[in-house]
mmCIF file of all heavy atoms in Angstrom:
data_model
loop_
_atom_site.group_PDB
_atom_site.id
_atom_site.type_symbol
_atom_site.label_atom_id
_atom_site.label_comp_id
_atom_site.label_asym_id
_atom_site.label_seq_id
_atom_site.Cartn_x
_atom_site.Cartn_y
_atom_site.Cartn_z
ATOM 1 N N LEU A 201 -20.176 -9.429 13.984
ATOM 2 C CA LEU A 201 -20.896 -8.244 13.545
ATOM 3 C C LEU A 201 -21.254 -8.283 12.084
ATOM 4 O O LEU A 201 -22.318 -7.805 11.675
ATOM 5 C CB LEU A 201 -20.026 -6.997 13.830
ATOM 6 C CG LEU A 201 -19.718 -6.706 15.330
ATOM 7 C CD1 LEU A 201 -18.819 -5.495 15.440
ATOM 8 C CD2 LEU A 201 -21.039 -6.445 16.121
ATOM 9 N N LEU A 202 -20.368 -8.851 11.283
ATOM 10 C CA LEU A 202 -20.643 -8.954 9.817
ATOM 11 C C LEU A 202 -21.894 -9.755 9.548
ATOM 12 O O LEU A 202 -22.610 -9.511 8.580
ATOM 13 C CB LEU A 202 -19.437 -9.554 9.082
ATOM 14 C CG LEU A 202 -18.311 -8.591 8.745
ATOM 15 C CD1 LEU A 202 -17.040 -9.365 8.385
ATOM 16 C CD2 LEU A 202 -18.725 -7.652 7.618
ATOM 17 N N GLU A 203 -22.171 -10.741 10.432
ATOM 18 C CA GLU A 203 -23.291 -11.657 10.211
ATOM 19 C C GLU A 203 -24.626 -11.059 10.700
ATOM 20 O O GLU A 203 -25.676 -11.679 10.422
ATOM 21 C CB GLU A 203 -23.031 -12.976 10.918
ATOM 22 C CG GLU A 203 -21.961 -13.854 10.320
ATOM 23 C CD GLU A 203 -22.391 -14.344 8.928
ATOM 24 O OE1 GLU A 203 -23.560 -14.731 8.789
ATOM 25 O OE2 GLU A 203 -21.572 -14.409 8.003
ATOM 26 N N ARG A 204 -24.540 -9.968 11.364
ATOM 27 C CA ARG A 204 -25.792 -9.457 12.052
ATOM 28 C C ARG A 204 -26.735 -8.705 11.128
ATOM 29 O O ARG A 204 -27.842 -8.420 11.531
ATOM 30 C CB ARG A 204 -25.415 -8.549 13.232
ATOM 31 C CG ARG A 204 -24.696 -9.343 14.322
ATOM 32 C CD ARG A 204 -24.514 -8.612 15.636
ATOM 33 N NE ARG A 204 -23.970 -9.417 16.644
ATOM 34 C CZ ARG A 204 -24.322 -9.433 17.905
ATOM 35 N NH1 ARG A 204 -25.284 -8.631 18.299
ATOM 36 N NH2 ARG A 204 -23.720 -10.251 18.779
ATOM 37 N N ASP A 205 -26.259 -8.330 9.949
ATOM 38 C CA ASP A 205 -27.133 -7.634 9.011
ATOM 39 C C ASP A 205 -26.441 -7.588 7.648
ATOM 40 O O ASP A 205 -25.286 -8.036 7.527
ATOM 41 C CB ASP A 205 -27.356 -6.171 9.492
ATOM 42 C CG ASP A 205 -28.716 -5.602 8.964
ATOM 43 O OD1 ASP A 205 -29.173 -6.050 7.945
ATOM 44 O OD2 ASP A 205 -29.326 -4.771 9.656
ATOM 45 N N GLU A 206 -27.199 -7.206 6.636
ATOM 46 C CA GLU A 206 -26.616 -6.988 5.305
ATOM 47 C C GLU A 206 -26.090 -5.560 5.215
ATOM 48 O O GLU A 206 -26.846 -4.658 4.792
ATOM 49 C CB GLU A 206 -27.635 -7.331 4.224
ATOM 50 C CG GLU A 206 -28.077 -8.830 4.219
ATOM 51 C CD GLU A 206 -29.026 -9.095 3.047
ATOM 52 O OE1 GLU A 206 -29.366 -8.168 2.346
ATOM 53 O OE2 GLU A 206 -29.428 -10.270 2.972
ATOM 54 N N TRP A 207 -24.893 -5.356 5.664
ATOM 55 C CA TRP A 207 -24.313 -4.000 5.786
ATOM 56 C C TRP A 207 -23.990 -3.450 4.450
ATOM 57 O O TRP A 207 -23.350 -4.127 3.597
ATOM 58 C CB TRP A 207 -23.091 -3.989 6.681
ATOM 59 C CG TRP A 207 -23.335 -4.607 8.085
ATOM 60 C CD1 TRP A 207 -22.770 -5.749 8.532
ATOM 61 C CD2 TRP A 207 -24.156 -4.071 9.101
ATOM 62 N NE1 TRP A 207 -23.199 -6.003 9.837
ATOM 63 C CE2 TRP A 207 -24.045 -4.957 10.172
ATOM 64 C CE3 TRP A 207 -24.942 -2.939 9.193
ATOM 65 C CZ2 TRP A 207 -24.711 -4.760 11.361
ATOM 66 C CZ3 TRP A 207 -25.598 -2.723 10.374
ATOM 67 C CH2 TRP A 207 -25.537 -3.590 11.456
ATOM 68 N N ASP A 208 -24.331 -2.154 4.257
ATOM 69 C CA ASP A 208 -23.809 -1.435 3.143
ATOM 70 C C ASP A 208 -22.359 -1.039 3.318
ATOM 71 O O ASP A 208 -21.552 -1.043 2.360
ATOM 72 C CB ASP A 208 -24.625 -0.147 2.885
ATOM 73 C CG ASP A 208 -26.106 -0.465 2.526
ATOM 74 O OD1 ASP A 208 -26.325 -1.230 1.586
ATOM 75 O OD2 ASP A 208 -27.030 0.033 3.212
ATOM 76 N N LEU A 209 -22.008 -0.689 4.572
ATOM 77 C CA LEU A 209 -20.671 -0.301 4.870
ATOM 78 C C LEU A 209 -20.328 -0.893 6.248
ATOM 79 O O LEU A 209 -21.029 -0.741 7.245
ATOM 80 C CB LEU A 209 -20.544 1.199 4.968
ATOM 81 C CG LEU A 209 -19.232 1.809 5.433
ATOM 82 C CD1 LEU A 209 -18.058 1.352 4.485
ATOM 83 C CD2 LEU A 209 -19.347 3.294 5.477
ATOM 84 N N PHE A 210 -19.154 -1.579 6.314
ATOM 85 C CA PHE A 210 -18.624 -2.134 7.546
ATOM 86 C C PHE A 210 -17.222 -1.595 7.712
ATOM 87 O O PHE A 210 -16.378 -1.742 6.846
ATOM 88 C CB PHE A 210 -18.612 -3.636 7.485
ATOM 89 C CG PHE A 210 -18.063 -4.324 8.710
ATOM 90 C CD1 PHE A 210 -18.843 -4.701 9.761
ATOM 91 C CD2 PHE A 210 -16.661 -4.519 8.831
ATOM 92 C CE1 PHE A 210 -18.340 -5.344 10.889
ATOM 93 C CE2 PHE A 210 -16.135 -5.162 9.945
ATOM 94 C CZ PHE A 210 -16.955 -5.545 10.952
ATOM 95 N N ILE A 211 -16.937 -0.934 8.918
ATOM 96 C CA ILE A 211 -15.618 -0.395 9.168
ATOM 97 C C ILE A 211 -15.135 -0.870 10.519
ATOM 98 O O ILE A 211 -15.848 -0.753 11.522
ATOM 99 C CB ILE A 211 -15.608 1.138 9.167
ATOM 100 C CG1 ILE A 211 -16.273 1.701 7.909
ATOM 101 C CG2 ILE A 211 -14.231 1.656 9.298
ATOM 102 C CD1 ILE A 211 -16.342 3.224 7.924
ATOM 103 N N ALA A 212 -13.914 -1.392 10.571
ATOM 104 C CA ALA A 212 -13.346 -1.883 11.800
ATOM 105 C C ALA A 212 -11.854 -1.540 11.807
ATOM 106 O O ALA A 212 -11.283 -1.279 10.770
ATOM 107 C CB ALA A 212 -13.544 -3.369 11.990
ATOM 108 N N LEU A 213 -11.264 -1.471 12.985
ATOM 109 C CA LEU A 213 -9.899 -1.052 13.156
ATOM 110 C C LEU A 213 -9.094 -2.058 14.024
ATOM 111 O O LEU A 213 -9.599 -2.512 15.052
ATOM 112 C CB LEU A 213 -9.793 0.315 13.822
ATOM 113 C CG LEU A 213 -8.375 0.857 14.087
ATOM 114 C CD1 LEU A 213 -7.676 1.243 12.765
ATOM 115 C CD2 LEU A 213 -8.444 2.094 14.988
ATOM 116 N N TYR A 214 -7.884 -2.431 13.521
ATOM 117 C CA TYR A 214 -6.926 -3.187 14.341
ATOM 118 C C TYR A 214 -5.917 -2.227 14.824
ATOM 119 O O TYR A 214 -5.000 -1.765 14.124
ATOM 120 C CB TYR A 214 -6.228 -4.251 13.502
ATOM 121 C CG TYR A 214 -7.044 -5.476 13.179
ATOM 122 C CD1 TYR A 214 -7.802 -5.616 12.021
ATOM 123 C CD2 TYR A 214 -7.040 -6.593 14.074
ATOM 124 C CE1 TYR A 214 -8.508 -6.730 11.711
ATOM 125 C CE2 TYR A 214 -7.766 -7.718 13.744
ATOM 126 C CZ TYR A 214 -8.506 -7.806 12.594
ATOM 127 O OH TYR A 214 -9.246 -8.940 12.311
ATOM 128 N N PRO A 215 -5.875 -1.921 16.165
ATOM 129 C CA PRO A 215 -4.938 -1.004 16.760
ATOM 130 C C PRO A 215 -3.753 -1.690 17.383
ATOM 131 O O PRO A 215 -2.806 -1.035 17.900
ATOM 132 C CB PRO A 215 -5.717 -0.258 17.840
ATOM 133 C CG PRO A 215 -6.676 -1.272 18.309
ATOM 134 C CD PRO A 215 -7.015 -2.165 17.095
ATOM 135 N N GLU A 216 -3.683 -3.019 17.315
ATOM 136 C CA GLU A 216 -2.652 -3.735 18.051
ATOM 137 C C GLU A 216 -1.244 -3.481 17.550
ATOM 138 O O GLU A 216 -0.268 -3.507 18.275
ATOM 139 C CB GLU A 216 -2.969 -5.239 18.063
ATOM 140 C CG GLU A 216 -4.098 -5.658 18.951
ATOM 141 C CD GLU A 216 -5.482 -5.439 18.381
ATOM 142 O OE1 GLU A 216 -5.579 -5.070 17.142
ATOM 143 O OE2 GLU A 216 -6.507 -5.549 19.091
ATOM 144 N N ASN A 217 -1.119 -3.223 16.246
ATOM 145 C CA ASN A 217 0.179 -2.883 15.715
ATOM 146 C C ASN A 217 0.793 -1.649 16.366
ATOM 147 O O ASN A 217 1.976 -1.569 16.647
ATOM 148 C CB ASN A 217 0.145 -2.653 14.193
ATOM 149 C CG ASN A 217 -0.055 -3.926 13.397
ATOM 150 O OD1 ASN A 217 -1.181 -4.342 13.116
ATOM 151 N ND2 ASN A 217 1.041 -4.524 13.002
ATOM 152 N N HIS A 218 -0.070 -0.646 16.556
ATOM 153 C CA HIS A 218 0.296 0.615 17.154
ATOM 154 C C HIS A 218 0.887 0.340 18.562
ATOM 155 O O HIS A 218 1.983 0.796 18.890
ATOM 156 C CB HIS A 218 -0.890 1.533 17.210
ATOM 157 C CG HIS A 218 -0.589 2.953 17.563
ATOM 158 N ND1 HIS A 218 -1.355 3.985 17.140
ATOM 159 C CD2 HIS A 218 0.374 3.502 18.294
ATOM 160 C CE1 HIS A 218 -0.907 5.111 17.571
ATOM 161 N NE2 HIS A 218 0.208 4.842 18.244
ATOM 162 N N THR A 219 0.119 -0.389 19.375
ATOM 163 C CA THR A 219 0.519 -0.639 20.768
ATOM 164 C C THR A 219 1.807 -1.501 20.776
ATOM 165 O O THR A 219 2.733 -1.252 21.589
ATOM 166 C CB THR A 219 -0.558 -1.347 21.476
ATOM 167 O OG1 THR A 219 -1.787 -0.605 21.372
ATOM 168 C CG2 THR A 219 -0.247 -1.471 22.956
ATOM 169 N N ALA A 220 1.870 -2.509 19.912
ATOM 170 C CA ALA A 220 3.054 -3.363 19.848
ATOM 171 C C ALA A 220 4.286 -2.568 19.465
ATOM 172 O O ALA A 220 5.401 -2.802 20.056
ATOM 173 C CB ALA A 220 2.830 -4.457 18.877
ATOM 174 N N ASN A 221 4.167 -1.666 18.506
ATOM 175 C CA ASN A 221 5.345 -0.909 18.068
ATOM 176 C C ASN A 221 5.866 0.034 19.161
ATOM 177 O O ASN A 221 7.058 0.289 19.240
ATOM 178 C CB ASN A 221 5.051 -0.136 16.829
ATOM 179 C CG ASN A 221 4.962 -0.999 15.532
ATOM 180 O OD1 ASN A 221 5.196 -2.220 15.610
ATOM 181 N ND2 ASN A 221 4.713 -0.450 14.469
ATOM 182 N N HIS A 222 4.914 0.500 19.983
ATOM 183 C CA HIS A 222 5.380 1.321 21.163
ATOM 184 C C HIS A 222 6.224 0.496 22.094
ATOM 185 O O HIS A 222 7.235 0.971 22.617
ATOM 186 C CB HIS A 222 4.154 1.875 21.865
ATOM 187 C CG HIS A 222 3.635 3.191 21.272
ATOM 188 N ND1 HIS A 222 4.460 4.201 20.884
ATOM 189 C CD2 HIS A 222 2.325 3.597 21.059
ATOM 190 C CE1 HIS A 222 3.739 5.188 20.446
ATOM 191 N NE2 HIS A 222 2.420 4.869 20.555
ATOM 192 N N MET A 223 5.774 -0.669 22.456
ATOM 193 C CA MET A 223 6.321 -1.437 23.562
ATOM 194 C C MET A 223 7.328 -2.489 23.196
ATOM 195 O O MET A 223 8.162 -2.982 24.023
ATOM 196 C CB MET A 223 5.227 -2.053 24.423
ATOM 197 C CG MET A 223 4.258 -1.031 25.042
ATOM 198 S SD MET A 223 5.210 0.265 25.982
ATOM 199 C CE MET A 223 6.062 -0.705 27.208
ATOM 200 N N LEU A 224 7.312 -3.025 21.954
ATOM 201 C CA LEU A 224 8.122 -4.115 21.568
ATOM 202 C C LEU A 224 9.116 -3.799 20.513
ATOM 203 O O LEU A 224 9.888 -4.651 20.050
ATOM 204 C CB LEU A 224 7.250 -5.243 20.983
ATOM 205 C CG LEU A 224 6.084 -5.707 21.941
ATOM 206 C CD1 LEU A 224 5.219 -6.799 21.199
ATOM 207 C CD2 LEU A 224 6.575 -6.178 23.261
ATOM 208 N N TRP A 225 9.279 -2.491 20.122
ATOM 209 C CA TRP A 225 10.142 -2.072 19.099
ATOM 210 C C TRP A 225 11.574 -2.548 19.338
ATOM 211 O O TRP A 225 12.250 -3.059 18.433
ATOM 212 C CB TRP A 225 10.103 -0.518 18.947
ATOM 213 C CG TRP A 225 10.923 0.038 17.830
ATOM 214 C CD1 TRP A 225 12.236 0.441 17.895
ATOM 215 C CD2 TRP A 225 10.459 0.257 16.491
ATOM 216 N NE1 TRP A 225 12.646 0.891 16.726
ATOM 217 C CE2 TRP A 225 11.622 0.786 15.781
ATOM 218 C CE3 TRP A 225 9.305 0.059 15.820
ATOM 219 C CZ2 TRP A 225 11.519 1.142 14.448
ATOM 220 C CZ3 TRP A 225 9.230 0.351 14.460
ATOM 221 C CH2 TRP A 225 10.368 0.938 13.821
ATOM 222 N N HIS A 226 12.060 -2.423 20.573
ATOM 223 C CA HIS A 226 13.488 -2.702 20.871
ATOM 224 C C HIS A 226 13.709 -4.216 20.875
ATOM 225 O O HIS A 226 14.923 -4.623 20.927
ATOM 226 C CB HIS A 226 13.817 -2.091 22.218
ATOM 227 C CG HIS A 226 13.039 -2.609 23.386
ATOM 228 N ND1 HIS A 226 11.666 -2.462 23.485
ATOM 229 C CD2 HIS A 226 13.374 -3.336 24.491
ATOM 230 C CE1 HIS A 226 11.210 -3.050 24.588
ATOM 231 N NE2 HIS A 226 12.246 -3.577 25.236
ATOM 232 N N LEU A 227 12.716 -5.019 20.801
ATOM 233 C CA LEU A 227 12.952 -6.417 20.698
ATOM 234 C C LEU A 227 13.271 -6.937 19.296
ATOM 235 O O LEU A 227 13.652 -8.067 19.095
ATOM 236 C CB LEU A 227 11.704 -7.228 21.211
ATOM 237 C CG LEU A 227 11.228 -6.927 22.610
ATOM 238 C CD1 LEU A 227 10.115 -7.868 23.016
ATOM 239 C CD2 LEU A 227 12.427 -7.007 23.608
ATOM 240 N N ALA A 228 13.132 -5.995 18.372
ATOM 241 C CA ALA A 228 13.368 -6.323 16.964
ATOM 242 C C ALA A 228 14.140 -5.253 16.180
ATOM 243 O O ALA A 228 14.873 -5.585 15.250
ATOM 244 C CB ALA A 228 11.996 -6.539 16.242
ATOM 245 N N GLU A 229 13.976 -3.992 16.572
ATOM 246 C CA GLU A 229 14.652 -2.894 15.857
ATOM 247 C C GLU A 229 15.652 -2.187 16.774
ATOM 248 O O GLU A 229 15.635 -2.412 18.024
ATOM 249 C CB GLU A 229 13.621 -1.891 15.373
ATOM 250 C CG GLU A 229 12.559 -2.514 14.359
ATOM 251 C CD GLU A 229 13.189 -2.916 13.044
ATOM 252 O OE1 GLU A 229 14.023 -2.099 12.564
ATOM 253 O OE2 GLU A 229 12.854 -3.929 12.513
ATOM 254 N N ASP A 230 16.522 -1.336 16.167
ATOM 255 C CA ASP A 230 17.540 -0.673 17.007
ATOM 256 C C ASP A 230 16.969 0.334 17.976
ATOM 257 O O ASP A 230 16.054 1.126 17.635
ATOM 258 C CB ASP A 230 18.496 0.072 16.019
ATOM 259 C CG ASP A 230 19.364 -0.871 15.226
ATOM 260 O OD1 ASP A 230 19.560 -2.002 15.665
ATOM 261 O OD2 ASP A 230 19.875 -0.420 14.189
ATOM 262 N N HIS A 231 17.456 0.226 19.216
ATOM 263 C CA HIS A 231 17.114 1.151 20.267
ATOM 264 C C HIS A 231 18.103 0.962 21.375
ATOM 265 O O HIS A 231 18.561 -0.106 21.638
ATOM 266 C CB HIS A 231 15.706 0.932 20.798
ATOM 267 C CG HIS A 231 15.173 2.018 21.670
ATOM 268 N ND1 HIS A 231 15.454 2.037 23.050
ATOM 269 C CD2 HIS A 231 14.422 3.155 21.397
ATOM 270 C CE1 HIS A 231 14.922 3.136 23.593
ATOM 271 N NE2 HIS A 231 14.286 3.792 22.614
ATOM 272 N N PRO A 232 18.479 2.060 22.152
ATOM 273 C CA PRO A 232 19.448 1.946 23.196
ATOM 274 C C PRO A 232 19.091 0.871 24.247
ATOM 275 O O PRO A 232 19.993 0.335 24.844
ATOM 276 C CB PRO A 232 19.523 3.348 23.810
ATOM 277 C CG PRO A 232 19.137 4.278 22.717
ATOM 278 C CD PRO A 232 18.091 3.492 21.862
ATOM 279 N N VAL A 233 17.802 0.664 24.509
ATOM 280 C CA VAL A 233 17.457 -0.353 25.505
ATOM 281 C C VAL A 233 18.004 -1.724 25.133
ATOM 282 O O VAL A 233 18.431 -2.522 25.994
ATOM 283 C CB VAL A 233 15.906 -0.377 25.666
ATOM 284 C CG1 VAL A 233 15.479 -1.535 26.617
ATOM 285 C CG2 VAL A 233 15.441 0.907 26.264
ATOM 286 N N GLY A 234 17.977 -2.015 23.838
ATOM 287 C CA GLY A 234 18.495 -3.315 23.301
ATOM 288 C C GLY A 234 17.429 -4.376 23.543
ATOM 289 O O GLY A 234 16.402 -4.191 24.234
ATOM 290 N N ALA A 235 17.651 -5.577 22.937
ATOM 291 C CA ALA A 235 16.707 -6.622 23.031
ATOM 292 C C ALA A 235 16.812 -7.352 24.376
ATOM 293 O O ALA A 235 17.689 -8.194 24.560
ATOM 294 C CB ALA A 235 16.931 -7.597 21.862
ATOM 295 N N VAL A 236 15.940 -7.059 25.309
ATOM 296 C CA VAL A 236 16.004 -7.618 26.663
ATOM 297 C C VAL A 236 15.395 -8.965 26.678
ATOM 298 O O VAL A 236 15.471 -9.655 27.728
ATOM 299 C CB VAL A 236 15.354 -6.664 27.656
ATOM 300 C CG1 VAL A 236 16.030 -5.337 27.763
ATOM 301 C CG2 VAL A 236 13.835 -6.474 27.349
ATOM 302 N N ALA A 237 14.720 -9.390 25.647
ATOM 303 C CA ALA A 237 14.029 -10.729 25.596
ATOM 304 C C ALA A 237 14.386 -11.386 24.318
ATOM 305 O O ALA A 237 14.491 -10.793 23.273
ATOM 306 C CB ALA A 237 12.494 -10.574 25.764
ATOM 307 N N LYS A 238 14.541 -12.724 24.380
ATOM 308 C CA LYS A 238 14.806 -13.523 23.167
ATOM 309 C C LYS A 238 13.447 -13.984 22.603
ATOM 310 O O LYS A 238 12.659 -14.638 23.288
ATOM 311 C CB LYS A 238 15.685 -14.675 23.528
ATOM 312 C CG LYS A 238 17.124 -14.292 23.865
ATOM 313 C CD LYS A 238 17.982 -15.565 24.034
ATOM 314 C CE LYS A 238 19.409 -15.059 24.417
ATOM 315 N NZ LYS A 238 20.307 -16.286 24.609
ATOM 316 N N CYS A 239 13.186 -13.652 21.389
ATOM 317 C CA CYS A 239 11.946 -14.024 20.719
ATOM 318 C C CYS A 239 12.270 -14.834 19.475
ATOM 319 O O CYS A 239 13.030 -14.378 18.665
ATOM 320 C CB CYS A 239 11.144 -12.778 20.351
ATOM 321 S SG CYS A 239 10.771 -11.709 21.721
ATOM 322 N N PRO A 240 11.702 -16.038 19.343
ATOM 323 C CA PRO A 240 11.974 -16.821 18.184
ATOM 324 C C PRO A 240 11.504 -16.150 16.880
ATOM 325 O O PRO A 240 11.984 -16.459 15.795
ATOM 326 C CB PRO A 240 11.297 -18.151 18.448
ATOM 327 C CG PRO A 240 10.276 -17.832 19.466
ATOM 328 C CD PRO A 240 10.831 -16.730 20.253
#
Side-chain angles (χ1 to χ4, degrees):
L201 295 175
L202 278 165
E203 288 292 321
R204 295 191 176 219
D205 208 330
E206 295 183 359
W207 305 112
D208 297 304
L209 176 60
F210 178 93
I211 309 179
L213 178 69
Y214 283 94
E216 286 80 9
N217 287 90
H218 192 154
T219 309
N221 285 0
H222 274 317
M223 297 308 301
L224 308 177
W225 183 270
H226 61 298
L227 302 188
E229 298 292 318
D230 287 340
H231 190 276
V233 173
V236 298
K238 291 183 178 180
C239 302

